[in-house]
Amino acid sequence: MLEYLRNAADKPVAKVLMGILIFSFVGWGVAEWVFGLTSSDTTIMRVGGEKVSINQYTNMKSNELAALSRDAQRKIYTDPTAMSAFQDGVIKKIASIKRVQLHADDLGYVVSDHRIADDIRAIPQFQENGKFSPMAFDVVLRNSGLSESDIANDIRMRTLAGMVDTPIQATMKTPRFAVRAAYNARGARRDVDVATVKFADFKVKTPTESELMEFYKQNPHRVIESRDVSYIVLPTEMDKPDEYEKNLKIAQKMEDDIIGGETLAAAAKKYNAKFKKHEKISADKLPNDKLFDNTMIARVFDMDAETESEMIESHDGFVIVRVDKITPAHDADFESVKKELASDWARAERRKLAYVRANELLVGLNRDGKLANKKTLSVSRTDGAAPSVLVAAFKNEIGQNVIVEDSDAFYVMHVAKEKLPDADNKKIDAMNADVSKMTSAHIAADYNAYLEREYPVKINEKTYNRFVK
């Protein structure tokens, strides 16, 4: 063909044919750039403008996987949620390492090859009889699948990270007055006068039908979405390789039968598996079944009605789940909740009457400085009264009068006085340590936030979706 084209290059037909071929090749290349089909860009993200390739991501992912147990690896490969979380973790770790590297470069930090060599020689795994052994070094590298450059780069990054983090790792000395203020705030007690107005102390009439209907319009009872679910599990001791391989083949046949139209119950009988059903599973009514952990619940509520899951590997064996029916969220029928409505209506009416009485007490307290039926309580931030009273006692100023609402009562309260704790040097020193830790944690958080702002991460969605997602 090529010989023919060379011999007939001057002929009109050959020129037309060659033009078509040239246009096709040019068009093909242009199409890659126009339609995003080119595979030359393997950048998965940029950190502070510096590229991170898909190869770097893959290497980090392999290293992170190798550090996990077999069960953890299996969960990642079989659970989409776990895989997504793992991939996000790899991305975040690479970004964190790259930020440290970039910041170290900006600060002018350098780790010499001589220092890296000294650090490698000092690693116990690379030594024999207390001295560096090239043979031990080679054996460890072969067994781990790492190269010399991998070891050197890891040491360099750890050293740079230490240099970058050193300023925020030093113990922060907190001023004594700040420690004493924290000590006083934690150990102080307050005396409060409290009058309790319980909802249950007020009597109300039986509601009429029209009152209940009006109450229902203002407070509709919403029935949340529920699902009827069935599942089949082929019991397997997953940590026994022989049993795992044997039952995996059986489970695959079982899955094929179910895909072919076999019911879960029939498949369970055929393959000596366990079949179970749960009706009306909802966020408020989860089944008492160890198989239904948070991951399984999330999976079930992500499925459509009358569909089965793919085969799932669990601690108990191989599982296939089916969502038999979905009952969407809806307003409950009035007649079905009438009894509950009557109880809610009565409580709401008692609350109104209790609030009126609490306000009468507060008016009298503000006017005369007297509180009827009061009790004087000494409270700390953690004990001495109901939690709502404790919060209000320290939230409000000394001398203030307030109404505090709880689940079944109103409290009319006067904050009388405060007593600071006696000085205890041992406790103050312990508080000093706590405050120093909190201060260091805040500084570290601010420093990390600075690095995130200084070296922002931008994901290449095209590469991420192509190679990762």
Side-chain angles (χ1 to χ4, degrees), residues 71-211:
D71 286 342
Q73 291 176 358
R74 182 181 295 125
K75 182 174 177 60
I76 287 173
Y77 281 119
T78 58
D79 184 347
T81 302
M83 174 59 82
S84 178
F86 174 74
Q87 291 170 339
D88 288 344
V90 174
I91 290 287
K92 291 177 181 177
K93 184 166 185 177
I94 294 174
S96 178
I97 292 173
K98 187 60 73 173
R99 284 193 186 104
V100 169
Q101 180 185 353
L102 292 172
H103 194 51
D105 290 343
D106 290 344
L107 294 173
Y109 294 157
V110 175
V111 181
S112 68
D113 292 343
H114 180 74
R115 175 171 177 173
I116 292 175
D118 288 343
D119 288 344
I120 290 176
R121 294 190 188 99
I123 295 175
Q125 290 87 343
F126 301 152
Q127 295 179 349
E128 288 183 1
N129 300 322
K131 295 183 179 180
F132 176 75
S133 168
M135 184 177 297
F137 181 64
D138 291 338
V139 169
V140 172
L141 291 186
R142 277 200 307 272
N143 292 339
S144 64
L146 298 174
S147 66
E148 291 184 22
S149 61
D150 290 333
I151 298 292
N153 288 335
D154 181 66
I155 291 175
R156 178 176 280 107
M157 286 308 304
R158 289 176 186 275
T159 306
L160 288 173
M163 292 177 176
V164 170
D165 292 342
T166 294
I168 64 172
Q169 289 175 346
T171 302
M172 306 304 299
K173 185 172 178 60
T174 306
R176 193 69 176 177
F177 77 86
V179 176
R180 189 58 191 265
Y183 174 77
N184 288 340
R186 181 177 294 184
R189 298 192 71 88
R190 288 191 172 189
D191 288 347
V192 294
D193 297 329
V194 179
T196 304
V197 184
K198 294 182 178 179
F199 301 170
D201 290 342
F202 295 87
K203 305 297 181 183
V204 295
K205 65 182 182 65
T206 302
T208 64
E209 186 86 0
S210 60
E211 286 174 330

Side-chain angles (χ1 to χ4, degrees), residues 1 55 79 112 168 185 187 191 195 224 252 273 281 298 329 342 348 357 379 395 422 430 441 454 457:
M1 178 66 178
N55 288 338
D79 184 347
S112 68
I168 64 172
D191 288 347
I224 64 176
Q252 289 170 339
I281 293 177
R357 176 58 182 155
V379 302
K395 180 180 179 181
D422 295 332
E454 192 72 9
V457 174

Side-chain angles (χ1 to χ4, degrees), residues 188-364:
R189 298 192 71 88
R190 288 191 172 189
D191 288 347
V192 294
D193 297 329
V194 179
T196 304
V197 184
K198 294 182 178 179
F199 301 170
D201 290 342
F202 295 87
K203 305 297 181 183
V204 295
K205 65 182 182 65
T206 302
T208 64
E209 186 86 0
S210 60
E211 286 174 330
L212 279 183
M213 183 66 75
E214 185 61 30
F215 182 76
Y216 181 68
K217 289 179 181 178
Q218 297 174 6
N219 304 276
H221 282 225
R222 189 71 175 167
V223 179
I224 64 176
E225 178 186 306
S226 64
R227 296 183 172 221
D228 294 348
V229 176
S230 57
Y231 71 86
I232 182 173
V233 55
L234 183 65
T236 306
E237 294 189 54
M238 306 297 278
D239 58 347
K240 294 185 177 180
D242 292 342
E243 184 174 345
Y244 174 87
E245 295 297 335
K246 172 189 170 185
N247 282 1
L248 174 60
K249 294 177 182 178
I250 297 174
Q252 289 170 339
K253 292 179 182 178
M254 184 173 68
E255 183 179 35
D256 290 341
D257 287 358
I258 292 171
I259 292 173
E262 191 77 84
T263 65
L264 265 64
K269 185 175 181 181
K270 179 178 179 181
Y271 292 99
N272 196 29
K274 294 181 180 179
F275 173 76
K276 194 169 185 179
K277 295 186 69 172
H278 292 293
E279 294 185 348
K280 298 193 177 302
I281 293 177
S282 69
D284 294 340
K285 185 184 176 184
L286 298 177
N288 184 19
D289 188 329
K290 65 179 181 179
L291 181 68
F292 278 75
D293 56 13
N294 291 337
T295 300
M296 181 63 77
I297 291 294
R299 185 190 297 272
V300 164
F301 276 85
D302 196 40
M303 294 170 60
D304 295 327
E306 300 183 359
T307 61
E308 294 90 14
S309 70
E310 74 280 5
M311 185 172 61
I312 304 167
E313 293 187 20
S314 75
H315 289 296
D316 296 326
F318 298 97
V319 182
I320 295 176
V321 179
R322 173 181 169 83
V323 175
D324 300 310
K325 177 184 176 183
I326 298 177
T327 303
H330 60 281
D331 288 337
D333 178 69
F334 174 75
E335 293 296 330
S336 69
V337 294
K338 187 185 274 190
K339 185 176 180 180
E340 187 178 349
L341 281 172
S343 176
D344 291 346
W345 180 90
R347 184 186 182 284
E349 291 299 308
R350 291 190 181 99
R351 180 187 176 280
K352 290 178 184 177
L353 296 173
Y355 185 66
V356 171
R357 176 58 182 155
N359 270 279
E360 291 173 351
L361 292 174
L362 180 63
V363 169

